[in-house]
Structure formats: structure tokens, C-alpha cells
Amino acid sequence: MRVSIGSDHAGFEQKEMLIGYLESQGFGVIDRGPETDGRVDYPDFAALVAQDVTGHEADFGVLVCGTGIGMAIAANKVRGIRAANITRADFAALAREHNDANVLTLSGRFVSFEENCRIVDAFLSTPFGGGRHAGRVAKIMALEG
Ligand code: RB5
């Protein structure tokens, strides 16, 4: 499974640590930057990761900023993306099972690396539930027009 990952300056440190963690778990990782912790604009990196997911370069995207909120708002502007900003592991599983989320956005400033690893584990290991959830997700996607 391949994961595309990106951050802004506020998420840079955890992005670098998460790359190591994901690789240690056997995932292929596409690092869309940034390459340093210098100040950048999070929508630029949300776009790169979102496009990897919609273009099938990656199975899932992971984005880290200060809160994860800006990354989610930006990624959800890309057609085909269902990004969820997650701060606890059980919600990560539900975002996959109920919402078929394809991008996970994380807080680099308010959530520990250890908790973010648990969130990533839950997100990447939980399949979409289908069934009654499938029609609801289809209705979400129909909102794109
Ligand atoms: C950057 O200061 C901060 O605004 C950004 O990382 C993110 O938290 C936005 O949602």
C-alpha cells in the first residue's frame, strides 16, 4: 500500500517522523514535502497529496499541519477527496468504515507523535464498511456536482 504525505512548517517535524514510522510498517511513502521547516502555505501541500490520491499514485494521503483543520479544508476542495481531520484513533477507524475517507489530516502541534501513530494505524487498517454507508458516501460525492 502506498501513502502520499505532506505538511506545512507546523507539521514538518511529525511528517518526517511519520515517514519513518510508515516505512517501518512496510508502507511505500511518497513525500510531497516540504523539505525543511521553513514557513510555507498548507494548501500547496494539500493539493499535491490530494492529487496523488485522485490520480492513483497513492492509496491514501496523510497531511499534517498545526491543527489538521486547514489541510482538511483544502484537500476537500479537490474533486474525489474525502479528507477527515482526526485527533483520536477510534474516529480514524470510523472515518474509514463509515465515510470511506481517503485522506487523513493530523495535528502536529496538539496531538503527540505516539497518538498520531495510533491514528494512522487505525486509519490504514480499517476497510470501508459499504452497505448502508455506500449510498451516503455516494450522496456526499454527488454534492461535487
Ligand atoms: C500555521 O500557523 C497554521 O495555521 C497551520 O499549520 C494550520 O494549523 C492551519 O489549519
Side-chain angles (χ1 to χ4, degrees):
M1 189 182 290
R2 200 139 54 144
V3 177
S4 176
I5 190 166
S7 75
D8 70 355
H9 48 285
F12 176 77
E13 186 179 351
Q14 285 220 29
K15 189 258 290 178
E16 294 294 297
M17 294 162 73
L18 284 166
I19 289 170
Y21 178 70
L22 286 163
E23 288 177 342
S24 78
Q25 300 299 301
F27 293 101
V29 179
I30 304 170
D31 180 6
R32 291 302 184 194
E35 292 178 2
T36 72
D37 65 359
R39 194 163 294 277
V40 292
D41 296 330
Y42 58 82
D44 297 333
F45 298 89
L48 293 173
V49 167
Q51 286 157 8
D52 277 343
V53 174
T54 59
H56 305 291
E57 296 293 324
D59 300 286
F60 294 104
V62 175
L63 289 161
V64 195
C65 65
T67 58
I69 296 169
M71 285 296 198
I73 292 171
N76 276 318
K77 295 294 183 188
V78 176
R79 179 173 287 272
I81 292 299
R82 292 176 298 282
N85 181 206
I86 301 291
T87 57
R88 45 185 282 180
D90 50 357
F91 279 23
L94 288 167
R96 287 288 308 125
E97 185 183 336
H98 287 203
N99 313 116
D100 199 16
N102 51 14
V103 171
L104 170 65
T105 76
L106 299 171
S107 167
R109 282 186 173 151
F110 300 97
V111 178
S112 69
F113 172 64
E114 291 71 23
E115 184 63 20
N116 276 332
C117 287
R118 286 190 281 274
I119 289 169
V120 166
D121 286 343
F123 189 86
L124 296 177
S125 66
T126 305
F128 178 46
R132 69 185 189 282
H133 304 298
R136 296 165 185 163
V137 171
K139 287 187 177 185
I140 292 172
M141 302 323 287
L143 295 173
E144 290 183 337

